[in-house]
Amino acid sequence: MPPPAARFRDLLAAEWLKLWSLRSTPWAYLIAALAVIGFNVGQAYDTYRYWTMENTADKARFVRDGIPLAEAFTSNAASILMLAAGAIGAVTVVGEYGTGLIRTTFAAVPARRSVLAAKAAVLAGVTTALGALIAAVSFFATQAILAGRDIGVSAGHPGALRVIVASALLTPVSALVGMAVGALLRQMGTTMVATFVTLLILPLVVSPGRYWSALLAHALPYSAWQRLTEVGSPVVAYPWSQAGAWTVYGAWALGAVVLAVFTVDRRDQ
């Protein structure tokens, strides 16, 4: 009589154990969190330090222009977060292929799709929690610093919650993209380069001033984050909605999982 198939919750538990069995995992998360928070806090502190005795109208304009929200999560911090999360996602797959552990996993559980789905679920859950922690700490720390000059805002300020959520969800989206690229390439060096190009270089190449280029720009995670964290409705040649930006988040996350699952399932049979 064949042994019973592994339950999905058992696969989740196994992926959770594999994730935290690596000594580098907590260090990677800690260093990524400190780096991102450090960028945001450093920007807010620079504003605090070099703020001159401005009048009330200038302070009101500073808040009205959305600068406190821009400093709650800066573009440099977002770039570091995407790169770190992409690397974390890549390691979950490439690390197993590099050590040969993936063969043992598939020998124990031949249902490759279920294994990759569990891996993606654990990765998404952990990186979402990490992103939420980083975004929340960044927001409250930066606003506490700016409050020293009476220019900080609360979490109830218009657009503040959107900035926190968009910045938090940028982490699992980037991690899942890294996992998908890792499943496709299976070599750490090329995976890291491809992930870096996909997440950070493509947004620099496309131009929002031309229609087709703008459409491509709007389809990228970094551009979606920028749209979700900007204040007001900036005048651009080809505007797009916040709903569209949220859709880009979801499409990249779902597409990455599908690519990883079916790539591993169809190769090396």
Side-chain angles (χ1 to χ4, degrees), residues 148-199:
R149 301 296 188 188
D150 295 325
I151 51 175
V153 298
S154 68
H157 185 81
L161 183 60
R162 187 179 69 249
V163 170
I164 296 174
V165 174
S167 301
L169 293 182
L170 187 62
T171 314
V173 171
S174 301
L176 291 172
V177 170
M179 185 190 74
V181 176
L184 188 64
L185 301 180
R186 303 186 181 182
Q187 202 280 329
M188 185 58 72
T190 53
T191 295
M192 291 302 300
V193 171
T195 302
F196 177 74
V197 169
T198 301
L199 294 176

Side-chain angles (χ1 to χ4, degrees), residues 3 47 51 114 121 140 154 174 176 178 181 197 222 238 240:
T47 300
W51 183 268
S114 297
F140 289 109
S154 68
S174 301
L176 291 172
V181 176
V197 169
Y222 182 73
Y238 302 101
W240 60 313

Side-chain angles (χ1 to χ4, degrees), residues 29-43:
Y29 289 178
L30 178 61
I31 292 172
L34 292 178
V36 175
I37 294 171
F39 267 96
N40 294 324
V41 168
Q43 180 64 51

Side-chain angles (χ1 to χ4, degrees), residues 15-187:
E15 292 299 328
W16 175 268
L17 291 175
K18 282 193 289 186
L19 177 67
W20 294 107
S21 63
L22 297 174
R23 294 182 179 179
S24 60
T25 296
W27 285 107
Y29 289 178
L30 178 61
I31 292 172
L34 292 178
V36 175
I37 294 171
F39 267 96
N40 294 324
V41 168
Q43 180 64 51
Y45 178 74
D46 281 345
T47 300
Y48 171 87
R49 181 179 180 183
Y50 295 107
W51 183 268
T52 57
M53 297 302 295
E54 304 288 348
N55 56 39
T56 304
D58 290 327
K59 291 182 178 180
R61 184 169 60 250
F62 184 90
V63 174
R64 185 176 63 250
D65 291 344
I67 301 177
L69 295 182
E71 296 190 357
F73 215 96
T74 66
S75 58
N76 287 336
S79 298
I80 295 297
L81 178 64
M82 294 179 75
L83 183 60
I88 288 170
V91 168
T92 61
V93 174
V94 179
E96 283 201 63
Y97 274 101
T99 60
L101 179 60
I102 197 73
R103 299 188 186 92
T104 304
T105 299
F106 289 149
V109 185
R112 297 186 175 196
R113 293 185 184 182
S114 297
V115 172
L116 263 293
K119 187 183 295 293
V122 170
L123 177 66
V126 172
T127 53
T128 297
L130 175 66
L133 176 64
I134 292 174
V137 172
S138 292
F139 179 84
F140 289 109
T142 55
Q143 301 316 302
I145 293 172
L146 295 176
R149 301 296 188 188
D150 295 325
I151 51 175
V153 298
S154 68
H157 185 81
L161 183 60
R162 187 179 69 249
V163 170
I164 296 174
V165 174
S167 301
L169 293 182
L170 187 62
T171 314
V173 171
S174 301
L176 291 172
V177 170
M179 185 190 74
V181 176
L184 188 64
L185 301 180
R186 303 186 181 182
Q187 202 280 329

